Amino acid sequence: MDTPPIIVYDEEDAREGLETCSRSFIGYFITEKPIHANSLQSALAGIWCNPKGFKVEEVMEMKFQFLFDEAKDADRVLRGSPWTFRNAWHPCKDGRGVKMWRV
């Protein structure tokens, strides 16, 4: 049995990663329709009033990370809506591990 490799991160890289997570959340869609990060980013940026530095990255199939430059924008979006896209439900979890279910 092979031992998985150990990855050591520089303290600054780890701090930067944690800071990025605190300004983001993860969401997925309950649908069989394809959803593309670029389409999702374009649609939600306009609906969410173009938050500064807003990006959408697909981290796994149909799971997306929503990134913001400022935590206040991520918090505002999590408290608001919409939580459907192309008629698909959208559960999500913020970067601090708090589950959010908005529809």
Side-chain angles (χ1 to χ4, degrees):
M1 184 158 118
D2 291 333
T3 304
I6 296 174
I7 300 172
V8 179
Y9 290 98
D10 176 275
E11 188 174 328
E12 181 61 31
D13 290 339
R15 188 177 5 262
E16 184 179 312
L18 289 171
E19 175 63 26
T20 298
C21 285
S22 74
R23 299 184 319 262
S24 71
F25 57 90
I26 302 289
Y28 63 94
F29 292 89
I30 301 173
T31 183
E32 293 181 10
K33 300 177 202 172
I35 294 180
H36 304 282
N38 292 348
S39 301
L40 191 56
Q41 182 172 327
S42 295
L44 294 179
I47 292 168
W48 291 341
C49 302
N50 296 308
K52 184 177 177 187
F54 176 61
K55 292 188 299 186
V56 176
E57 295 180 4
E58 188 167 16
V59 293
M60 294 176 67
E61 185 177 351
M62 298 297 285
K63 289 189 179 184
F64 300 88
Q65 184 171 19
F66 300 87
L67 300 123
F68 301 83
D69 279 355
E70 298 183 15
K72 68 178 183 176
D73 286 327
D75 291 339
R76 176 180 55 80
V77 166
L78 280 170
R79 286 190 312 268
S81 60
W83 292 111
T84 60
F85 180 74
R86 295 179 57 201
N87 296 320
W89 297 99
H90 176 49
C92 60
K93 184 184 283 192
D94 79 4
R96 296 159 294 215
V98 177
K99 274 192 178 178
M100 309 295 291
W101 291 81
R102 301 295 281 264
V103 290

